[in-house]
Coordinates of all heavy atoms in Angstrom, one line a residue:
M1 N 8.7 -3.0 4.3 CA 7.3 -2.4 4.1 C 7.0 -2.5 2.7 O 7.8 -2.2 1.8 CB 7.3 -1.0 4.6 CG 7.5 -0.8 6.1 SD 6.0 -1.2 7.0 CE 6.5 -0.7 8.7
I2 N 5.7 -2.9 2.4 CA 5.3 -3.0 1.0 C 4.1 -2.1 0.7 O 3.1 -2.1 1.5 CB 4.9 -4.4 0.6 CG1 6.2 -5.3 0.7 CG2 4.4 -4.5 -0.8 CD1 5.9 -6.8 0.3
G3 N 4.2 -1.2 -0.3 CA 3.1 -0.4 -0.6 C 2.6 -0.7 -2.0 O 3.1 -1.5 -2.7
G4 N 1.5 0.0 -2.4 CA 0.9 -0.3 -3.7 C 0.5 1.0 -4.4 O 0.8 2.1 -3.9
E5 N -0.2 0.9 -5.5 CA -0.6 2.1 -6.3 C -1.6 2.9 -5.5 O -2.2 2.4 -4.5 CB -1.1 1.7 -7.6 CG -0.1 1.2 -8.6 CD -0.6 1.0 -10.0 OE1 -0.8 2.0 -10.7 OE2 -1.0 -0.1 -10.3
T6 N -1.9 4.0 -6.0 CA -2.8 5.0 -5.3 C -4.2 4.3 -4.9 O -4.6 4.3 -3.7 CB -3.2 6.2 -6.2 OG1 -1.9 6.8 -6.6 CG2 -4.0 7.2 -5.4
E7 N -4.8 3.7 -5.9 CA -6.1 3.1 -5.6 C -6.0 1.8 -4.9 O -7.0 1.2 -4.4 CB -6.9 2.9 -6.9 CG -6.4 1.8 -7.8 CD -5.3 2.3 -8.7 OE1 -4.8 3.4 -8.5 OE2 -5.0 1.6 -9.7
K8 N -4.8 1.2 -4.7 CA -4.6 0.0 -4.1 C -3.6 0.1 -3.0 O -3.0 -0.9 -2.6 CB -4.2 -1.1 -5.1 CG -5.2 -1.4 -6.2 CD -4.7 -2.5 -7.1 CE -5.8 -2.7 -8.2 NZ -5.3 -3.7 -9.2
S9 N -3.4 1.3 -2.4 CA -2.3 1.5 -1.5 C -2.6 0.8 -0.2 O -1.7 0.6 0.6 CB -2.1 2.9 -1.3 OG -3.3 3.6 -0.8
H10 N -3.9 0.4 0.1 CA -4.2 -0.4 1.2 C -3.9 -1.9 0.8 O -4.6 -2.5 0.2 CB -5.6 -0.3 1.6 CG -6.1 -1.3 2.7 ND1 -5.5 -1.4 3.9 CD2 -7.0 -2.3 2.6 CE1 -6.0 -2.3 4.6 NE2 -6.9 -2.9 3.8
Y11 N -2.7 -2.4 1.2 CA -2.3 -3.7 0.7 C -3.1 -4.7 1.5 O -2.8 -5.0 2.6 CB -0.8 -3.8 1.0 CG -0.1 -4.9 0.2 CD1 0.0 -4.9 -1.1 CD2 0.3 -6.0 0.9 CE1 0.6 -5.9 -1.8 CE2 0.9 -7.1 0.2 CZ 1.0 -7.0 -1.2 OH 1.6 -8.0 -1.9
Y12 N -4.0 -5.3 0.8 CA -5.2 -5.9 1.4 C -4.9 -7.0 2.4 O -5.7 -7.3 3.3 CB -6.2 -6.3 0.4 CG -5.9 -7.6 -0.3 CD1 -6.6 -8.7 0.0 CD2 -4.9 -7.7 -1.3 CE1 -6.4 -9.9 -0.6 CE2 -4.7 -8.9 -1.9 CZ -5.4 -10.0 -1.6 OH -5.1 -11.2 -2.2
H13 N -3.9 -7.8 2.2 CA -3.8 -9.0 3.0 C -2.5 -9.0 3.9 O -2.2 -10.0 4.5 CB -3.9 -10.3 2.2 CG -2.7 -10.6 1.4 ND1 -2.3 -9.7 0.4 CD2 -1.8 -11.6 1.4 CE1 -1.2 -10.2 -0.2 NE2 -0.9 -11.3 0.4
Q14 N -1.8 -8.0 3.9 CA -0.6 -8.0 4.7 C -0.5 -6.8 5.7 O 0.1 -6.9 6.7 CB 0.7 -7.9 3.8 CG 0.9 -9.2 3.0 CD 1.3 -10.3 3.9 OE1 2.0 -10.1 4.9 NE2 0.9 -11.5 3.5
G15 N -1.1 -5.7 5.3 CA -1.2 -4.6 6.3 C 0.1 -3.9 6.6 O 0.2 -3.3 7.6
Y16 N 1.1 -3.9 5.7 CA 2.3 -3.2 5.9 C 2.0 -1.7 6.1 O 2.6 -1.0 6.9 CB 3.2 -3.3 4.7 CG 3.8 -4.7 4.6 CD1 3.2 -5.6 3.8 CD2 5.1 -5.0 5.1 CE1 3.8 -6.9 3.6 CE2 5.6 -6.2 5.0 CZ 5.0 -7.2 4.2 OH 5.5 -8.4 4.1
E17 N 1.0 -1.1 5.4 CA 0.8 0.3 5.4 C 0.1 0.8 6.6 O 0.0 2.0 6.8 CB 0.1 0.7 4.1 CG 1.0 0.5 2.9 CD 0.5 1.3 1.7 OE1 -0.6 1.8 1.8 OE2 1.2 1.3 0.7
T18 N -0.4 -0.1 7.5 CA -1.0 0.4 8.7 C -0.1 1.1 9.6 O -0.5 1.8 10.5 CB -1.7 -0.7 9.4 OG1 -0.7 -1.7 9.8 CG2 -2.8 -1.4 8.6
R19 N 1.2 0.9 9.4 CA 2.2 1.6 10.2 C 2.4 3.1 9.8 O 2.8 3.9 10.6 CB 3.6 0.9 10.1 CG 3.5 -0.6 10.5 CD 3.0 -0.8 11.9 NE 4.1 -1.0 12.9 CZ 4.0 -1.4 14.1 NH1 2.7 -1.7 14.5 NH2 5.0 -1.6 14.9
F20 N 2.1 3.4 8.5 CA 2.3 4.8 8.1 C 1.3 5.4 7.2 O 1.4 6.5 6.7 CB 3.7 4.9 7.4 CG 3.9 3.9 6.3 CD1 3.5 4.2 5.0 CD2 4.4 2.7 6.5 CE1 3.7 3.4 4.0 CE2 4.6 1.8 5.5 CZ 4.3 2.1 4.2
G21 N 0.2 4.6 7.0 CA -0.9 5.2 6.2 C -0.8 5.1 4.7 O 0.3 4.6 4.2
K22 N -1.8 5.4 4.0 CA -1.8 5.4 2.5 C -0.9 6.5 1.9 O -0.9 7.6 2.4 CB -3.2 5.5 2.0 CG -4.1 4.3 2.4 CD -5.5 4.4 1.7 CE -6.4 3.3 2.2 NZ -7.7 3.4 1.5
R23 N -0.2 6.2 0.9 CA 0.5 7.2 0.2 C 0.3 7.0 -1.3 O 0.0 5.9 -1.8 CB 2.0 7.0 0.4 CG 2.4 7.1 1.9 CD 2.2 8.5 2.4 NE 2.9 9.5 1.7 CZ 4.1 9.9 2.1 NH1 4.7 9.5 3.2 NH2 4.7 10.9 1.4
S24 N 0.3 8.1 -2.0 CA 0.0 8.1 -3.5 C 1.3 7.8 -4.3 O 2.2 8.5 -4.3 CB -0.5 9.5 -3.9 OG -0.7 9.6 -5.3
I25 N 1.2 6.6 -5.0 CA 2.3 6.2 -5.8 C 1.7 5.8 -7.2 O 0.8 5.0 -7.2 CB 3.1 5.1 -5.3 CG1 3.6 5.4 -3.8 CG2 4.3 4.7 -6.1 CD1 4.2 4.2 -3.1
K26 N 2.2 6.4 -8.2 CA 1.6 6.1 -9.5 C 2.5 5.3 -10.4 O 3.7 5.1 -10.1 CB 1.3 7.4 -10.3 CG 0.3 8.3 -9.5 CD 0.0 9.6 -10.3 CE -1.0 10.5 -9.5 NZ -1.2 11.8 -10.2
Y27 N 2.0 4.7 -11.5 CA 2.8 4.0 -12.4 C 2.7 4.7 -13.8 O 1.6 5.1 -14.2 CB 2.3 2.6 -12.6 CG 3.3 1.8 -13.5 CD1 4.4 1.1 -12.9 CD2 3.1 1.6 -14.8 CE1 5.3 0.5 -13.7 CE2 4.0 1.0 -15.6 CZ 5.1 0.3 -15.0 OH 6.0 -0.3 -15.8

């Protein structure tokens, strides 16, 4: 599963996060 930063947590072309929703991760 691949996630992204808060404002980009919807990983736009793979959809890994549709299984568990957006999560807040910062850098």
Side-chain angles (χ1 to χ4, degrees):
M1 292 284 187
I2 297 183
E5 287 188 82
T6 306
E7 70 274 14
K8 297 180 179 178
S9 59
H10 171 61
Y11 197 68
Y12 78 103
H13 71 299
Q14 291 292 327
Y16 290 89
E17 293 197 352
T18 59
R19 303 300 262 194
F20 52 91
K22 296 183 181 182
R23 299 298 298 268
S24 175
I25 306 173
K26 300 178 180 179
Y27 188 86

